[in-house]
Amino acid sequence: MGCFFPLFCLFAFFYLGASQNIPRLRLIPKDAVTQSFNQKERLTAMFHEAGSPQLIVGGRGTVWILTFVGSEITPTEVPVRVEEKAEKDCKRAEKGDCDNFIQMIERIENKTLVCGTNAGSPKCWLLVNTSLQRSSQGQIFTMVGENVVSSSPLQNAVTIAIEDSLYSALSGNKSSFQRSYGRKKGVKTRDSWISNAEFEGAALFPHKDRRKDEIFFFYNEVNRSAGLDEELYKVWLGRVCKVDQGEKPGSGDFWSTFLKARLVCGRPHEPLLFHRLEDAFVFREEGQAEATLYGVFSSPWGSSAVCSYSMKRISSHFETSKFKDAPGSIPHPRPGLCVPPDSSSSLAKMLAFIKDHPELEAVVYPDEEQPLYVLQMNDTYTQVVVDKVRDANNVSHDVLFLGTAKGKIHKVLRSKEQTVIIAELSPFKGEAPVTQMILDAATGHLYVSTKFEVTRLPLHDCSQYNGNCWKCILAQDPYCGWDAAGKSCSAISQKNHTNRLIQSLDSSSTTQACKAAEEKLSQDSIKKVSVDHTAYIYLPCPLRSHHASYSWVKDNKFYPCAMEDQSCTLRFGQHTPMGEGLFKCMAREKGYKEEIMGFEVALSSGVIPELALMLSGAAFLTITILLL
């Protein structure tokens, strides 16, 4: 097919729609409820129970109980002061920050456990209502086994409560994964299995036969002696069985089913660009056997990637993969199986084998053997949570919420056809990395924190896409659909799943969803500008969708525009002589055309002060308008 307007074909359109790895919209959430804290607080832990109006946040020597009612937050402060002896010992040893940083808040057997660094001597307490409770013996509640959280505020705690037990991971030189509280025996990993670890997450993978339930934990292993051409980090999957009671009495309290495997975000037989795990989240829809591991990875060059892995495939990998560097035959039954062996001699052989050969030979690659997408912008991912959403046609989709290093949240639709960053949300006042995220599907909210702020966002914010059918449909937000009768973009619910809301998450059928395919500017919205013919003029056009293509046009002639931040700016100068007439900025996206801005330019020896500003000492003219 030929091109009727060569200049237009070469310059006019700055097309972003083909790239799925940038946010389509950049939004400030309208219904976000945010609480700011003093910068000394340094929030490090967060807990929320599904359906509850409360969020419990841990800071420096304080637990905050935030109660959300509508658009209001009522904060309640519960001091968790450092113990006097621990503080004195810390200062005497000059360990550094001798305070109590709350690193873990978990609920087990209707008890809320709060653990903090306690000036380098980690300690745990029971939180009851709005106070710390002592046990009946009058002693502060302590954990069984080793420390649950790190003694350093610089190392985040990774914990997971499963039934009546707490599992915790300790990063650093003495890395370990352990069952640290509950009715079951406390067990841990051997020092030789994990070294210099940075733990990033843990998850339960249940089976129909509950005796086969597996617990996975995800971590980076730091290669402190890496050369210039060696990897600084390796990502690992560690795995134990929930029924594991450890080795027999007298031989040590170590896991008897521990295995580990390399986890890679990238393509096989290609350089591993994303070799550091930043966060991991395992999502399983209630009542369903299938589960997916989502991980966000970073590279040494400051880019991020999102990878997904079938948990069923991972579990099978641990049951069938060869063991690395294992000489001779493999004991029977296979080491690491969650079903215990019949005899003590079989158990002894399995334990001896796992002690020296816990690593699997095969590497775990992502689904489709490639990342879902790579983030190509000046930001990186730090956190991920996932929701399962049923659209207007009752088809389920995974929606990812990804926190960034600059305090943004990316809302991402994953479908069979594509992965699309629907929007970038900016709920915080300051720019700081997102450190915690909790999604409550029961109430339809997402809780997000940085070290200094906490916010609650609605999972659906359909009013952001109001205006007309096209703006709602092109959003590709599975939470929202166009209500033709009410002429509004409305939230999908069980009541309106069928025959009412218009929605099209499949880009190939988007053009059939709405009737009118063009929106023109009204005469009242066209700005009239009178300028001197010797001046250089800048006409701004706000970028509403970053997946649309933009152009300026006058009398069927197309003009190139410079993409500057949030504007497609038309610059007149030596190579683009200025002329009189009506200049319009247009956006095109999937069959929809919208006129964004219009300027009626007239040449004269003067200017209109309300719309133009002559820069002192230079022949430049800037049109100043409100970019809506």
Side-chain angles (χ1 to χ4, degrees), residues 387-460:
D387 191 20
K388 181 74 74 174
V389 184
R390 294 194 173 274
D391 63 18
N393 298 314
N394 210 27
V395 177
S396 63
H397 301 268
D398 283 6
V399 177
L400 288 67
F401 293 88
L402 297 125
T404 82
K406 293 187 176 181
K408 313 294 183 182
I409 298 128
H410 284 185
K411 190 176 187 179
V412 178
L413 168 66
R414 183 189 183 185
S415 64
K416 293 181 180 179
E417 182 187 69
Q418 59 185 339
T419 300
V420 180
I421 307 178
I422 298 170
E424 178 182 271
L425 310 176
S426 301
F428 297 113
K429 298 177 183 177
E431 186 177 290
V434 171
T435 54
Q436 300 279 334
M437 298 178 76
I438 299 175
L439 189 145
D440 187 349
T443 62
H445 290 109
L446 176 69
Y447 296 88
V448 187
S449 72
T450 67
K451 288 184 177 181
F452 315 114
E453 296 180 81
V454 173
T455 188
R456 187 189 71 176
L457 305 169
L459 297 180
H460 50 78

Coordinates of all heavy atoms in Angstrom, one line a residue, residues 387-460:
D387 N -4.7 -10.4 41.0 CA -6.1 -10.6 41.2 C -6.7 -11.4 40.0 O -6.2 -11.2 38.9 CB -6.9 -9.3 41.4 CG -8.3 -9.5 41.9 OD1 -8.6 -10.5 42.5 OD2 -9.1 -8.5 41.7
K388 N -7.7 -12.2 40.3 CA -8.4 -12.8 39.2 C -9.8 -12.1 39.0 O -10.5 -12.0 40.0 CB -8.6 -14.3 39.5 CG -9.3 -15.1 38.5 CD -8.4 -15.4 37.3 CE -7.4 -16.5 37.6 NZ -6.6 -16.9 36.4
V389 N -10.0 -11.7 37.8 CA -11.2 -10.8 37.5 C -12.0 -11.5 36.4 O -11.5 -12.0 35.4 CB -10.8 -9.4 37.1 CG1 -12.0 -8.5 36.9 CG2 -9.8 -8.8 38.1
R390 N -13.3 -11.5 36.6 CA -14.2 -12.0 35.6 C -14.8 -10.8 34.9 O -15.4 -9.9 35.5 CB -15.3 -12.9 36.2 CG -14.8 -14.2 36.8 CD -15.9 -15.2 37.1 NE -15.3 -16.4 37.5 CZ -14.9 -17.4 36.6 NH1 -15.1 -17.2 35.3 NH2 -14.3 -18.5 37.1
D391 N -14.7 -10.8 33.6 CA -15.1 -9.6 32.8 C -16.6 -9.7 32.5 O -17.3 -10.5 33.1 CB -14.3 -9.6 31.5 CG -14.6 -10.8 30.6 OD1 -15.6 -11.5 30.7 OD2 -13.8 -11.0 29.6
A392 N -17.1 -8.8 31.6 CA -18.5 -8.7 31.4 C -19.1 -10.0 30.8 O -20.3 -10.3 30.8 CB -18.8 -7.5 30.5
N393 N -18.2 -10.8 30.1 CA -18.7 -12.1 29.6 C -18.4 -13.3 30.5 O -18.4 -14.4 30.0 CB -18.0 -12.3 28.2 CG -18.4 -11.2 27.2 OD1 -19.5 -10.9 27.1 ND2 -17.4 -10.6 26.5
N394 N -18.0 -13.0 31.7 CA -17.8 -14.0 32.7 C -16.5 -14.8 32.4 O -16.4 -16.0 32.8 CB -19.0 -14.9 32.9 CG -19.0 -15.4 34.4 OD1 -18.5 -14.8 35.3 ND2 -19.6 -16.6 34.5
V395 N -15.6 -14.2 31.7 CA -14.3 -14.8 31.4 C -13.3 -14.3 32.4 O -13.2 -13.1 32.6 CB -13.9 -14.6 29.9 CG1 -12.5 -15.2 29.7 CG2 -14.9 -15.1 28.9
S396 N -12.5 -15.2 32.9 CA -11.5 -14.7 34.0 C -10.2 -14.3 33.4 O -9.8 -14.8 32.3 CB -11.3 -15.9 35.0 OG -10.7 -17.0 34.4
H397 N -9.6 -13.3 34.0 CA -8.3 -12.7 33.6 C -7.5 -12.5 34.8 O -8.0 -12.1 35.9 CB -8.5 -11.4 32.8 CG -9.4 -11.5 31.6 ND1 -8.9 -11.7 30.3 CD2 -10.7 -11.4 31.4 CE1 -9.9 -11.8 29.5 NE2 -11.0 -11.6 30.1
D398 N -6.2 -12.6 34.6 CA -5.3 -12.2 35.7 C -5.0 -10.7 35.5 O -4.6 -10.2 34.4 CB -3.9 -13.0 35.6 CG -4.1 -14.4 36.1 OD1 -5.2 -14.8 36.5 OD2 -3.1 -15.1 36.2
V399 N -5.1 -10.0 36.6 CA -4.7 -8.6 36.7 C -3.5 -8.4 37.7 O -3.7 -8.8 38.8 CB -5.9 -7.6 37.0 CG1 -5.4 -6.2 37.1 CG2 -7.0 -7.8 36.0
L400 N -2.4 -7.9 37.2 CA -1.2 -7.7 38.0 C -1.2 -6.3 38.5 O -1.4 -5.3 37.7 CB 0.0 -8.0 37.3 CG 0.4 -9.5 37.0 CD1 -0.6 -10.1 36.0 CD2 1.8 -9.6 36.4
F401 N -0.8 -6.1 39.8 CA -0.5 -4.8 40.3 C 1.0 -4.8 40.7 O 1.4 -5.6 41.5 CB -1.4 -4.4 41.5 CG -2.9 -4.3 41.1 CD1 -3.7 -5.4 41.1 CD2 -3.4 -3.0 40.8 CE1 -5.0 -5.2 40.8 CE2 -4.7 -2.9 40.4 CZ -5.5 -4.0 40.4
L402 N 1.7 -3.9 40.1 CA 3.2 -3.9 40.3 C 3.6 -2.6 40.8 O 3.4 -1.5 40.2 CB 3.9 -4.2 38.9 CG 3.6 -5.6 38.4 CD1 3.0 -5.4 36.9 CD2 4.8 -6.5 38.3
G403 N 4.3 -2.6 42.0 CA 4.9 -1.4 42.6 C 6.2 -1.1 42.0 O 7.0 -2.0 41.6
T404 N 6.6 0.2 41.9 CA 7.8 0.6 41.3 C 8.8 1.3 42.3 O 8.3 1.7 43.4 CB 7.6 1.5 40.1 OG1 7.4 2.8 40.5 CG2 6.4 1.1 39.2
A405 N 10.0 1.5 41.8 CA 11.0 2.1 42.7 C 10.7 3.6 42.9 O 11.3 4.3 43.7 CB 12.4 1.9 42.1
K406 N 9.8 4.2 42.1 CA 9.5 5.6 42.2 C 8.1 5.8 42.8 O 7.5 6.9 42.7 CB 9.5 6.3 40.8 CG 10.9 6.3 40.2 CD 10.9 7.1 38.9 CE 12.4 7.3 38.4 NZ 12.4 8.1 37.2
G407 N 7.6 4.8 43.4 CA 6.3 4.9 44.1 C 5.1 4.9 43.2 O 4.0 5.3 43.6
K408 N 5.2 4.3 42.0 CA 4.0 4.2 41.1 C 3.5 2.8 41.2 O 4.1 1.8 41.7 CB 4.5 4.5 39.7 CG 5.3 5.7 39.5 CD 4.5 7.0 39.8 CE 5.4 8.2 39.5 NZ 4.7 9.5 39.8
I409 N 2.3 2.6 40.7 CA 1.7 1.3 40.6 C 1.2 1.0 39.2 O 0.5 1.9 38.6 CB 0.5 1.1 41.6 CG1 0.9 1.3 43.0 CG2 -0.2 -0.3 41.4 CD1 0.2 2.2 43.8
H410 N 1.7 -0.1 38.6 CA 1.2 -0.4 37.2 C 0.1 -1.4 37.3 O 0.3 -2.5 38.0 CB 2.4 -1.0 36.4 CG 3.3 0.1 35.9 ND1 4.4 -0.2 35.1 CD2 3.4 1.4 36.2 CE1 5.1 1.0 34.9 NE2 4.4 1.9 35.5
K411 N -1.0 -1.1 36.7 CA -2.1 -2.1 36.6 C -2.0 -2.8 35.2 O -2.1 -2.1 34.2 CB -3.4 -1.2 36.7 CG -4.7 -2.1 36.9 CD -5.9 -1.1 37.0 CE -7.1 -1.8 37.4 NZ -8.3 -0.8 37.6
V412 N -1.9 -4.1 35.3 CA -1.5 -4.8 34.1 C -2.6 -5.9 33.8 O -2.9 -6.7 34.7 CB -0.1 -5.5 34.2 CG1 0.2 -6.3 33.0 CG2 0.9 -4.4 34.4
L413 N -3.1 -6.0 32.6 CA -4.0 -7.0 32.2 C -3.2 -8.1 31.4 O -2.5 -7.9 30.5 CB -5.1 -6.5 31.2 CG -5.9 -7.5 30.5 CD1 -6.8 -8.3 31.4 CD2 -6.8 -6.8 29.4
R414 N -3.4 -9.4 31.9 CA -2.8 -10.5 31.2 C -3.9 -11.3 30.6 O -4.8 -11.8 31.3 CB -2.0 -11.4 32.1 CG -1.3 -12.5 31.4 CD -0.6 -13.6 32.3 NE 0.0 -14.6 31.5 CZ 0.6 -15.7 32.0 NH1 0.6 -15.9 33.3 NH2 1.2 -16.6 31.2
S415 N -3.8 -11.5 29.3 CA -4.8 -12.3 28.6 C -4.1 -13.3 27.7 O -2.8 -13.2 27.5 CB -5.8 -11.5 27.8 OG -5.1 -10.8 26.7
K416 N -4.8 -14.2 27.0 CA -4.1 -15.1 26.1 C -3.5 -14.4 25.0 O -2.5 -14.8 24.4 CB -5.1 -16.1 25.6 CG -5.7 -17.1 26.7 CD -6.7 -18.1 26.1 CE -7.2 -19.0 27.2 NZ -8.2 -20.0 26.7
E417 N -4.1 -13.3 24.6 CA -3.6 -12.5 23.4 C -2.4 -11.7 23.7 O -1.5 -11.6 22.9 CB -4.8 -11.6 22.9 CG -4.5 -10.9 21.6 CD -5.5 -9.9 21.2 OE1 -5.7 -8.9 22.0 OE2 -6.2 -10.2 20.3
Q418 N -2.4 -11.0 24.9 CA -1.3 -10.0 25.1 C -1.3 -9.7 26.6 O -2.1 -10.1 27.4 CB -1.6 -8.8 24.3 CG -2.9 -8.1 24.6 CD -3.2 -6.9 23.7 OE1 -2.3 -6.4 23.1 NE2 -4.5 -6.6 23.6
T419 N -0.2 -9.0 26.9 CA -0.1 -8.4 28.3 C 0.0 -6.9 28.1 O 0.9 -6.4 27.4 CB 1.2 -8.9 29.0 OG1 1.1 -10.3 29.1 CG2 1.3 -8.3 30.3
V420 N -0.9 -6.1 28.7 CA -1.0 -4.7 28.5 C -0.9 -4.0 29.8 O -1.6 -4.4 30.8 CB -2.4 -4.3 27.8 CG1 -2.5 -2.8 27.6 CG2 -2.5 -5.1 26.5
I421 N -0.1 -3.0 29.9 CA -0.1 -2.1 31.1 C -1.2 -1.1 30.9 O -1.1 -0.1 30.2 CB 1.3 -1.4 31.2 CG1 2.4 -2.4 31.2 CG2 1.3 -0.6 32.6 CD1 3.8 -1.7 31.3
I422 N -2.3 -1.3 31.6 CA -3.5 -0.5 31.5 C -3.2 0.9 31.9 O -3.6 1.9 31.2 CB -4.7 -1.1 32.3 CG1 -5.0 -2.5 31.8 CG2 -5.9 -0.2 32.3 CD1 -6.0 -3.2 32.7
A423 N -2.6 1.1 33.1 CA -2.4 2.4 33.6 C -1.3 2.4 34.6 O -0.9 1.4 35.2 CB -3.7 2.9 34.3
E424 N -0.7 3.6 34.8 CA 0.3 3.9 35.8 C -0.4 4.8 36.8 O -0.8 5.9 36.5 CB 1.5 4.5 35.3 CG 2.6 4.9 36.3 CD 3.8 5.6 35.8 OE1 4.7 4.9 35.4 OE2 3.8 6.8 35.7
L425 N -0.5 4.4 38.1 CA -1.2 5.1 39.1 C -0.1 5.8 40.0 O 0.9 5.2 40.4 CB -2.1 4.2 40.0 CG -3.0 3.3 39.2 CD1 -3.8 2.4 40.1 CD2 -4.0 4.1 38.4
S426 N -0.4 7.1 40.4 CA 0.5 7.8 41.2 C -0.3 8.3 42.5 O -0.8 9.4 42.5 CB 1.0 9.0 40.4 OG 1.7 8.6 39.3
P427 N -0.3 7.5 43.5 CA -1.1 7.8 44.7 C -0.4 8.6 45.8 O -1.0 9.2 46.7 CB -1.6 6.5 45.2 CG -0.4 5.6 44.9 CD 0.2 6.1 43.6
F428 N 1.0 8.6 45.7 CA 1.8 9.1 46.8 C 2.3 10.5 46.5 O 2.5 10.9 45.4 CB 3.0 8.2 47.1 CG 2.6 6.8 47.5 CD1 2.9 5.7 46.7 CD2 2.0 6.6 48.7 CE1 2.6 4.4 47.1 CE2 1.7 5.3 49.1 CZ 2.0 4.2 48.3
K429 N 2.5 11.2 47.6 CA 3.0 12.6 47.5 C 4.5 12.6 47.2 O 5.0 13.4 46.4 CB 2.8 13.4 48.9 CG 1.3 13.5 49.2 CD 1.1 14.2 50.6 CE -0.4 14.3 50.9 NZ -0.5 14.9 52.3
G430 N 5.2 11.7 47.9 CA 6.7 11.6 47.7 C 7.1 10.5 46.8 O 6.3 9.6 46.5
E431 N 8.3 10.6 46.3 CA 8.9 9.5 45.4 C 9.7 8.6 46.2 O 10.9 9.0 46.6 CB 9.6 10.2 44.3 CG 10.1 9.2 43.2 CD 10.8 9.8 42.0 OE1 10.1 10.5 41.3 OE2 12.0 9.6 41.9
A432 N 9.2 7.4 46.5 CA 10.0 6.4 47.2 C 9.5 5.0 46.8 O 8.4 4.8 46.3 CB 9.7 6.6 48.7
P433 N 10.4 4.0 46.9 CA 10.1 2.7 46.4 C 8.9 2.1 47.1 O 8.7 2.3 48.3 CB 11.3 1.9 46.7 CG 12.4 2.9 46.8 CD 11.8 4.1 47.3
V434 N 8.0 1.4 46.4 CA 6.9 0.6 47.0 C 7.5 -0.6 47.7 O 8.3 -1.3 47.2 CB 5.9 0.1 45.9 CG1 4.9 -0.8 46.5 CG2 5.2 1.3 45.3
T435 N 7.2 -0.7 49.0 CA 7.8 -1.8 49.8 C 6.9 -2.9 50.2 O 7.3 -4.0 50.4 CB 8.4 -1.2 51.1 OG1 7.3 -0.5 51.8 CG2 9.5 -0.2 50.9
Q436 N 5.6 -2.7 50.2 CA 4.6 -3.7 50.6 C 3.3 -3.5 49.8 O 2.9 -2.4 49.5 CB 4.3 -3.7 52.1 CG 5.4 -3.8 53.0 CD 5.8 -5.3 53.2 OE1 5.0 -6.2 53.1 NE2 7.1 -5.5 53.6
M437 N 2.7 -4.6 49.4 CA 1.4 -4.6 48.7 C 0.5 -5.7 49.2 O 1.0 -6.9 49.3 CB 1.5 -4.6 47.2 CG 2.3 -3.5 46.6 SD 2.5 -3.7 44.8 CE 0.9 -3.2 44.2
I438 N -0.7 -5.4 49.5 CA -1.7 -6.5 49.9 C -3.0 -6.2 49.2 O -3.5 -5.1 49.2 CB -2.0 -6.4 51.5 CG1 -0.7 -6.7 52.2 CG2 -3.0 -7.4 51.8 CD1 -0.8 -6.6 53.7
L439 N -3.5 -7.2 48.5 CA -4.7 -7.1 47.8 C -5.9 -7.8 48.5 O -5.7 -8.9 48.9 CB -4.6 -7.7 46.4 CG -5.7 -7.4 45.3 CD1 -5.1 -7.3 43.9 CD2 -6.7 -8.6 45.3
D440 N -7.0 -7.1 48.7 CA -8.2 -7.6 49.3 C -9.3 -7.7 48.3 O -10.0 -6.7 48.1 CB -8.6 -6.8 50.5 CG -9.7 -7.4 51.4 OD1 -10.3 -8.4 50.9 OD2 -10.0 -6.9 52.5
A441 N -9.4 -8.9 47.7 CA -10.5 -9.1 46.7 C -11.9 -9.0 47.3 O -12.9 -8.7 46.6 CB -10.3 -10.4 46.0
A442 N -12.0 -9.3 48.6 CA -13.3 -9.3 49.3 C -13.9 -7.9 49.3 O -15.1 -7.7 49.1 CB -13.2 -9.9 50.7
T443 N -13.1 -6.9 49.6 CA -13.6 -5.5 49.6 C -13.3 -4.7 48.4 O -13.7 -3.6 48.2 CB -13.0 -4.8 50.9 OG1 -11.5 -4.7 50.7 CG2 -13.3 -5.5 52.1
G444 N -12.4 -5.3 47.5 CA -12.1 -4.6 46.3 C -11.1 -3.5 46.5 O -11.2 -2.4 45.9
H445 N -10.1 -3.7 47.3 CA -9.1 -2.7 47.6 C -7.7 -3.2 47.5 O -7.4 -4.4 47.7 CB -9.3 -2.1 49.0 CG -10.5 -1.2 49.1 ND1 -11.6 -1.6 49.8 CD2 -10.8 0.0 48.6 CE1 -12.5 -0.7 49.8 NE2 -12.1 0.3 49.0
L446 N -6.7 -2.3 47.2 CA -5.3 -2.6 47.2 C -4.6 -1.7 48.2 O -4.8 -0.5 48.2 CB -4.7 -2.4 45.8 CG -3.2 -2.6 45.7 CD1 -2.9 -4.0 45.8 CD2 -2.7 -2.0 44.3
Y447 N -3.9 -2.3 49.1 CA -3.1 -1.5 50.1 C -1.7 -1.5 49.7 O -1.1 -2.6 49.4 CB -3.3 -2.2 51.5 CG -4.7 -2.2 52.1 CD1 -5.6 -3.2 51.8 CD2 -5.1 -1.1 52.8 CE1 -6.9 -3.2 52.2 CE2 -6.4 -1.1 53.3 CZ -7.3 -2.1 53.0 OH -8.6 -2.1 53.5
V448 N -1.1 -0.3 49.7 CA 0.3 -0.2 49.2 C 1.0 0.8 50.2 O 0.5 1.7 50.7 CB 0.3 0.5 47.8 CG1 1.7 0.5 47.3 CG2 -0.6 -0.3 46.9
S449 N 2.3 0.4 50.4 CA 3.1 1.3 51.3 C 4.5 1.6 50.7 O 5.0 0.8 50.0 CB 3.3 0.6 52.7 OG 4.1 -0.5 52.6
T450 N 5.0 2.7 51.1 CA 6.4 3.0 51.0 C 7.0 3.1 52.4 O 6.2 2.8 53.3 CB 6.7 4.3 50.2 OG1 6.2 5.4 51.0 CG2 5.9 4.3 48.9
K451 N 8.2 3.6 52.6 CA 8.7 3.7 53.9 C 8.0 4.9 54.7 O 8.2 4.9 55.9 CB 10.2 3.9 53.9 CG 11.0 2.7 53.5 CD 12.5 2.9 53.6 CE 13.3 1.6 53.3 NZ 14.7 1.8 53.4
F452 N 7.3 5.7 53.9 CA 6.8 6.9 54.6 C 5.3 7.1 54.4 O 4.7 8.0 55.0 CB 7.5 8.2 54.0 CG 9.0 8.0 53.9 CD1 9.6 8.0 52.7 CD2 9.8 7.9 55.0 CE1 11.0 7.8 52.6 CE2 11.2 7.7 54.9 CZ 11.8 7.7 53.7
E453 N 4.7 6.4 53.5 CA 3.3 6.6 53.3 C 2.5 5.2 53.1 O 3.2 4.2 52.7 CB 3.0 7.4 52.0 CG 3.6 8.8 52.1 CD 3.3 9.6 50.8 OE1 2.2 10.1 50.6 OE2 4.3 9.6 49.9
V454 N 1.2 5.2 53.4 CA 0.4 4.1 53.2 C -0.9 4.5 52.5 O -1.4 5.6 52.8 CB 0.0 3.4 54.5 CG1 -1.0 2.3 54.2 CG2 1.2 2.8 55.2
T455 N -1.3 3.8 51.4 CA -2.5 4.2 50.7 C -3.4 3.0 50.5 O -3.0 1.8 50.5 CB -2.2 4.8 49.4 OG1 -3.4 5.4 48.8 CG2 -1.6 3.8 48.4
R456 N -4.7 3.3 50.4 CA -5.7 2.2 50.0 C -6.3 2.7 48.7 O -6.9 3.8 48.6 CB -6.8 2.1 51.0 CG -7.7 0.9 50.7 CD -8.9 0.9 51.7 NE -9.8 2.0 51.4 CZ -11.0 2.2 52.0 NH1 -11.4 1.3 53.0 NH2 -11.8 3.2 51.7
L457 N -6.3 1.8 47.7 CA -6.8 2.1 46.3 C -7.9 1.2 46.0 O -7.9 0.0 46.3 CB -5.7 2.0 45.3 CG -4.4 2.7 45.4 CD1 -3.4 2.2 44.4 CD2 -4.6 4.2 45.2
P458 N -8.9 1.7 45.3 CA -10.0 0.8 44.8 C -9.4 0.0 43.6 O -8.7 0.5 42.8 CB -11.1 1.7 44.3 CG -10.4 3.0 44.0 CD -9.2 3.1 44.9
L459 N -9.7 -1.3 43.5 CA -9.3 -2.1 42.4 C -9.9 -1.6 41.1 O -9.3 -1.7 40.0 CB -9.6 -3.6 42.6 CG -9.0 -4.2 43.8 CD1 -9.4 -5.7 43.9 CD2 -7.5 -4.1 43.8
H460 N -11.1 -1.1 41.2 CA -11.8 -0.5 40.0 C -11.9 1.0 40.2 O -12.4 1.4 41.3 CB -13.1 -1.2 39.7 CG -14.0 -1.3 40.9 ND1 -14.7 -0.2 41.4 CD2 -14.3 -2.3 41.8 CE1 -15.4 -0.5 42.5 NE2 -15.2 -1.8 42.7

